[in-house]
């Protein structure tokens, strides 16, 4: 493959580009504790994204229903037609299944399922972002467990799983109707692995957001997105209680924020 076809194209000159980013941050809740320090995260992320050329739509303190409406409205924005990408940033309390809305009481009330994010911005519901990178950043707990564990040198052999070969059905014909993947070109970085907590300092904000901003500042000029994600993950190497996770990533190419470097 020629190198250029392995990189997401950024076709329009900067002055004609209309990059938009969405940031939803829940800080005050009716039944859950206030997320002190989250405002620092909002300021830091907004500044970072503006520096990367995005106009940032910021929303605070929404229920799960309101979050879904805001996402739909954002997905429908005509600016995406003349943009090359988007960032979708979510910060809230969270449970395994998703993000807490402001009326959340427990694991089941007022929860925005993470699936909803991908549904609102997939290739069926957001045609303007078809084939363009959609970067999802999620700062939330995903359960109550601390991510570290005492490791033993047990000799229990890991059992290999039998791999089923991928068979392509015979007799496929091209009907010349352009079929596209329902969901593609997403890259997700979650602040922690499933079931575990994410850490936030009431003064300086979330550890994950701090480190993410730092890595983007240092490396967005010449590294592709997933390499920056890996650097964020690596920065937690000596902090065993939390490890950011790349998930549901369907990037078909490399995404450079400044490809002309």
């Amino acid at each position: 493959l020629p190198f250029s076809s392995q990189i997401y194209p950024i076709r329009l000159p900067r002055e004609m580009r209309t990059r938009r980013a969405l940031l939803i941050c829940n800080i005050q809740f009716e039944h859950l504790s206030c997320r002190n320090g989250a405002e620092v995260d909002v300021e830091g992320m907004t500044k970072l994204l503006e520096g990367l050329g995005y106009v940032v739509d910021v929303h605070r303190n929404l229920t799960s229903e309101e979050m879904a409406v805001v996402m739909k409205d954002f997905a429908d924005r005509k600016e995406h037609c003349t943009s090359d990408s988007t960032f979708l940033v979510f910060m809230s309390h969270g449970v395994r299944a998703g993000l807490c809305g402001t009326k959340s009481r427990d694991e089941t009330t007022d929860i925005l399922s993470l699936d909803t994010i991908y549904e609102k911005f997939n290739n069926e519901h957001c045609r303007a972002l078809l084939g363009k990178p959609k970067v999802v950043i999620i700062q939330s707990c995903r359960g109550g467990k601390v991510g570290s564990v005492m490791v033993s040198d047990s000799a229990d052999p890991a059992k290999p799983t039998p791999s089923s070969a991928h068979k392509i059905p015979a007799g496929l014909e091209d009907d010349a109707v352009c079929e596209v993947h329902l969901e593609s070109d997403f890259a997700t970085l979650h602040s922690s692995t499933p079931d575990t907590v994410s850490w936030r300092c009431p003064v300086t904000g979330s550890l994950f957001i701090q480190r993410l901003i730092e890595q983007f500042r240092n490396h967005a000029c010449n590294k592709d997105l997933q390499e920056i994600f890996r650097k964020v993950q690596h920065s937690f190497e000596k902090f065993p209680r939390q490890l950011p996770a790349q998930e549901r990533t369907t990037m078909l190419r490399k995404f450079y924020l400044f490809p002309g470097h």
Side-chain angles (χ1 to χ4, degrees):
L1 272 177
F3 189 56
S4 60
S5 68
Q6 297 175 48
I7 295 176
Y8 282 101
I10 292 181
R11 295 195 176 93
L12 290 167
R14 188 169 300 196
E15 56 280 2
M16 291 171 69
R17 230 183 273 154
T18 53
R19 282 181 169 174
R20 301 297 291 226
L22 175 66
L23 192 159
I24 295 176
C25 182
N26 288 343
I27 302 174
Q28 307 281 351
F29 297 80
E30 286 182 24
H31 310 286
L32 306 173
S33 61
C34 176
R35 296 182 59 248
N36 295 317
E39 198 51 59
V40 181
D41 294 341
V42 173
E43 282 168 34
M45 276 310 290
T46 303
K47 223 157 127 184
L48 175 74
L49 291 168
E50 286 174 351
L52 295 171
Y54 295 85
V55 174
V56 189
D57 293 5
V58 181
H59 298 265
R60 292 175 182 80
N61 303 330
L62 305 178
T63 64
S64 57
E65 221 163 89
E66 289 166 342
M67 287 193 267
V69 169
V70 160
M71 281 194 281
K72 187 191 181 311
D73 291 346
F74 183 76
D76 289 342
R77 293 194 79 108
K78 60 184 185 312
E79 288 94 338
H80 295 313
C81 296
T82 42
S83 173
D84 48 52
S85 55
T86 190
F87 273 74
L88 309 164
V89 183
F90 302 89
M91 308 176 185
S92 187
H93 285 305
V95 296
R96 177 75 148 110
L99 296 157
C100 296
T102 49
K103 294 186 186 304
S104 178
R105 289 173 182 272
D106 53 36
E107 295 268 326
T108 56
T109 53
D110 198 22
I111 302 294
L112 177 83
S113 161
L114 296 182
D115 287 346
T116 308
I117 299 171
Y118 300 95
E119 195 184 303
K120 298 281 182 210
F121 292 95
N122 71 17
N123 295 327
E124 182 184 0
H125 294 129
C126 187
R127 301 301 288 273
L129 286 170
L130 176 70
K132 300 172 183 179
K134 294 164 276 281
V135 183
V136 182
I137 307 285
I138 302 172
Q139 162 61 43
S140 76
C141 288
R142 310 178 72 179
K145 295 180 184 164
V146 172
S148 55
V149 65
M150 297 304 285
V151 182
S152 82
D153 286 336
S154 155
D156 193 24
K159 294 177 182 65
T161 53
S163 70
S164 55
H166 226 57
K167 292 190 177 67
I168 294 173
L172 281 182
E173 288 176 12
D174 182 0
D175 285 337
V177 173
C178 177
E179 252 189 286
V180 298
H181 297 284
L182 177 60
E183 179 177 314
S184 66
D185 312 293
F186 281 95
T188 308
L189 191 61
H190 209 302
S191 58
S192 60
T193 48
D195 297 317
T196 62
V197 294
S198 294
W199 298 87
R200 173 172 35 82
C201 168
V203 180
T204 55
S206 308
L207 207 52
F208 168 67
I209 296 293
Q210 284 173 49
R211 294 185 179 187
L212 181 116
I213 289 170
E214 188 186 337
Q215 296 302 328
F216 268 88
R217 289 236 162 95
N218 292 339
H219 301 290
C221 60
N222 60 2
K223 296 274 188 285
D224 74 279
L225 181 84
Q226 282 169 281
E227 178 64 14
I228 300 170
F229 277 4
R230 197 188 55 72
K231 286 178 180 294
V232 176
Q233 290 174 293
H234 187 260
S235 75
F236 280 82
E237 189 179 31
K238 303 229 172 349
F239 186 74
R241 291 167 166 229
Q242 181 179 340
L243 181 63
Q246 291 193 50
E247 290 178 18
R248 204 154 168 170
T249 292
T250 49
M251 297 289 264
L252 301 174
R253 300 177 167 87
K254 290 186 173 188
F255 177 36
Y256 286 92
L257 285 144
F258 300 102
H261 174 79

